[in-house]
Amino acid sequence: MKLVFIGPPGIGKGTYAKAISQKYGIPHISTGDIFREEIAKGSELGRRVKEYVDKGLLVPDEIVIEVVKRRLSQPDCAKGFILDGFPRTLRQAEALDQITRIDAVLLFNAPLEIIIERVSGRRICPNCGAIYHVKWRPPKTPDVCDVCGARLIKRRDDEPDVVRRRYEIYLQTFTPIIEYYRRKGLLVEVDASHEAEEVVMEIERILKRLGLIKE
Ligand code: AMP
């Protein structure tokens, strides 16, 4: 089950990937997470990519492709994987085709207004990183972290104007990739405007239909 997940920031792609990854025992590989971890560790790779990631610029293709190639060659990827945040350029998509054969590309869609509503309710704990939502996952005491008692904050990235701008950048970046996979007949669109549990069930229905998981 070799999958690529594509979707705008704030659509919940990470949540869906985590659910499918845990249930079916395949790794969730996010190139953004890999880079952030390497930067935090201060590794050689981390030092090479830090400047790009800090500025929100694309890391050069050669570096990203090498990282993904190495990650996909690890034993835990034998049964499959979910790629998240990769490919982001046509060169990366073509390189991925050289590395392996992708079974399906899931494109998560929802109206921008729904994404804004979801994201603007998000609150995070600046101390321990716990994530809440005022409507769907409220803390026991408003604005206070259940885990460590710190006062919760709203990320600047989650403000409507920033979400709109990131959505535009997402469209510019991913439209060629989406078209690439549509032409190959691998693209499946998933309506992500419902609650996370329902979206995950819809993904499972799709994977069954494609014969990638059993009934
Ligand atoms: P993300 O968490 O997917 O938004 O990724 C965070 C940052 O990592 C991006 O802003 C880029 O700087 C870098 N990055 C992640 N994936 C890629 C990729 N496939 N190609 C180039 N840069 C990437």
Side-chain angles (χ1 to χ4, degrees):
M1 184 153 64
K2 297 175 177 175
L3 308 173
V4 172
F5 279 17
I6 299 178
I11 196 134
K13 193 166 37 94
T15 307
Y16 316 139
K18 199 166 146 206
I20 297 294
S21 156
Q22 282 174 355
K23 188 154 176 195
Y24 297 97
I26 55 170
H28 166 209
I29 302 169
S30 148
T31 41
D33 285 351
I34 294 178
F35 292 145
R36 278 185 290 270
E37 276 162 30
E38 295 295 324
I39 292 170
K41 276 197 280 182
S43 69
E44 145 104 51
L45 172 64
R47 284 197 297 276
R48 280 166 77 199
V49 302
K50 185 174 187 326
E51 220 187 289
Y52 300 99
V53 175
D54 282 353
K55 289 186 187 146
L57 299 172
L58 290 184
V59 170
D61 286 337
E62 312 78 77
I63 300 178
V64 193
I65 291 166
E66 198 46 48
V67 165
V68 171
K69 196 172 174 181
R70 217 179 311 146
R71 182 65 188 87
L72 296 185
S73 70
Q74 285 172 17
D76 65 331
C77 294
K79 276 202 309 179
F81 50 77
I82 300 170
L83 276 174
D84 171 0
F86 180 94
R88 254 183 171 87
T89 65
L90 282 177
R91 219 183 120 206
Q92 292 178 13
E94 283 158 7
L96 181 60
D97 284 341
Q98 302 294 316
I99 300 170
T100 190
R101 197 178 51 82
I102 294 301
D103 294 304
V105 176
L106 270 53
L107 171 62
F108 297 94
N109 286 322
L112 181 56
E113 291 315 309
I114 290 191
I115 298 175
I116 289 174
E117 191 199 307
R118 256 186 215 170
V119 169
S120 60
R122 190 148 66 184
R123 298 289 181 275
I124 62 162
C125 174
N127 184 44
C128 73
I131 300 173
Y132 301 87
H133 192 283
V134 289
K135 194 158 139 202
W136 294 297
R137 199 171 180 277
K140 290 193 194 84
T141 313
D143 290 330
V144 176
C145 180
D146 291 349
V147 183
C148 72
R151 183 148 289 275
L152 302 179
I153 58 162
K154 195 169 165 179
R155 282 196 335 181
R156 174 74 187 112
D157 269 8
D158 292 343
E159 297 290 350
D161 58 325
V162 182
V163 176
R164 278 200 186 89
R165 195 167 45 94
R166 291 174 75 209
Y167 187 79
E168 286 305 316
I169 295 170
Y170 156 79
L171 285 183
Q172 277 169 22
T173 309
F174 281 94
T175 300
I177 309 291
I178 292 167
E179 289 313 314
Y180 178 85
Y181 286 120
R182 202 192 298 279
R183 278 197 302 275
K184 282 182 173 278
L186 289 177
L187 196 76
V188 186
E189 299 199 33
V190 185
D191 177 4
S193 54
H194 309 286
E195 289 203 23
E197 268 177 41
E198 265 181 65
V199 179
V200 171
M201 286 195 303
E202 173 64 11
I203 297 171
E204 292 183 283
R205 277 194 291 272
I206 291 168
L207 297 177
K208 277 179 196 154
R209 205 178 66 218
L210 295 172
L212 297 173
I213 55 179
K214 294 201 181 73
E215 288 296 325

